[in-house]
Every structure is written in C-alpha cells, then in structure tokens.
Amino acid sequence: MTSLAKKLAIFASGRGSNAAALYEAMQAGEINGEVVVVVTDQQDAKVLDRAKEWGVPAHVVMRKAYASKDEFEQAMLDVIAPYEPDAIVLAGYMRLLGPTFIALYENKILNIHPALLPSFPGLHAQGQAVKAGVKVSGCTVHFVDTGMDTGPIIMQAVVPVYAEDTEDTLAARILPEEHKTYKKALALFCDDKLVIKDHIVHIKD
Ligand code: GRF
C-alpha cells in the first residue's frame, strides 16, 4: 500500500544542487514526497531562483534580523507552520539547529554531509579529509540530532581520495554521490521504511 506523499520543507543556504536533485526525483515519481516550502537564511541563495522555477513558495529568514538564535528559529517555525510539513530536509543549510527546533521534528529532520561521518564533521569536510590524507571519503545522509553531524546514519557512499586532491576537486567528486545517496535515503524515509533503534537506522523490507 502506498502511503500519502510526505510534505517536505527544504532548508538551504546556497546553490541548492541537492535540493534540485531531490525535487527532480519527486517530479519523476522516485520519491513519495512533495516540496511544500523552501526556507533559506541567505537572501541571495541560488535555491531561491530554483524555487521560483518550480513554483514552490520560498522564504528568506535572516539570522541578523533577530536578537537571539531562539527568536530566529521561532521565526522559521512560524514560516513553515502554515505548510504543515511532515519533515524537514536540510540541503546545504549551513547552521546548527537548536534543541527546541529539533524536538518539534524529532527524527523528522534529514541532512547530507560531504564526508563519511563520524569522520570530519562540521565545515570544510572535504578539506579536512584532504588534509588528513585519507584514501577514501564520501557522503553521509543522517537524521539530525542536537550534536554537530552526530545523528543516526541512514546511508553513505564512498569515493576515492587522491594525493593530488584539493578541497575543490574532492568536493566535485563527492557531489554527484550526494545527489544519488540523498535521493535513495529520502525515498526510504518517505516510504516509512526507516526505523531508529539505539541510534542505529534499520531499513524495513
Ligand atoms: C553540499 O556539499 C552539502 O553536503 C553541504 O553543502 C553543500 C551544499 O551544496 N552540506 P548544494 O547547495 O546542495 O549544491
């Protein structure tokens, strides 16, 4: 039995290539979801142009417009509330969400990170991997908890790292894997196939 399409809010801070890959997969019927709103914290984020092309409502919520992080996050919650999202998809959203926000969407916030977590969390993950001299890296789709990239891991993909790599060349090799992995992981989530037990994600048949 197919369940109802999940209503998804996408949060992104930049160019939105992951957001676009996910949107296109939804249009192609590969993910049982619908993007109901796009939210960004950057007024010139390219994802805003994409949302316009898609005819999806988009909102800019700027951190500097609010005195505290709590007020900023409350403003984001107020912006998405009318769309009644079932889940939040972070696609290059470059801020840590606070505990109050996360508690309201417990196990319903997904993120993509450009490294094999728990290695290289935080910013410049690809640069961290190049500096460490690892021979493989990749990407991780995970549920978001209150830590920095520490939530239960849903899916990972691996790419080689070469001695000549720079942060940019490695990022370019990882990005297409991000798009593929995020699509597969979000499709499983939207089909209610993911179960978390003791921080481990199980995939139902
Ligand atoms: C991706 O590498 C993502 O993993 C990271 O930020 C980048 C966003 O790229 N968190 P895009 O905006 O999806 O193109």
Side-chain angles (χ1 to χ4, degrees), residues 129-130 132-137 158-165 170 173:
V130 167
V134 292
K135 298 304 178 199
V136 294
S137 190
V158 178
V159 304
V161 182
Y162 303 116
E164 301 72 29
D165 267 328
L170 180 57
R173 193 172 309 120

Side-chain angles (χ1 to χ4, degrees), residues 80-91:
I80 62 174
Y83 303 97
E84 301 181 334
D86 298 306
I88 295 175
V89 176
L90 306 183

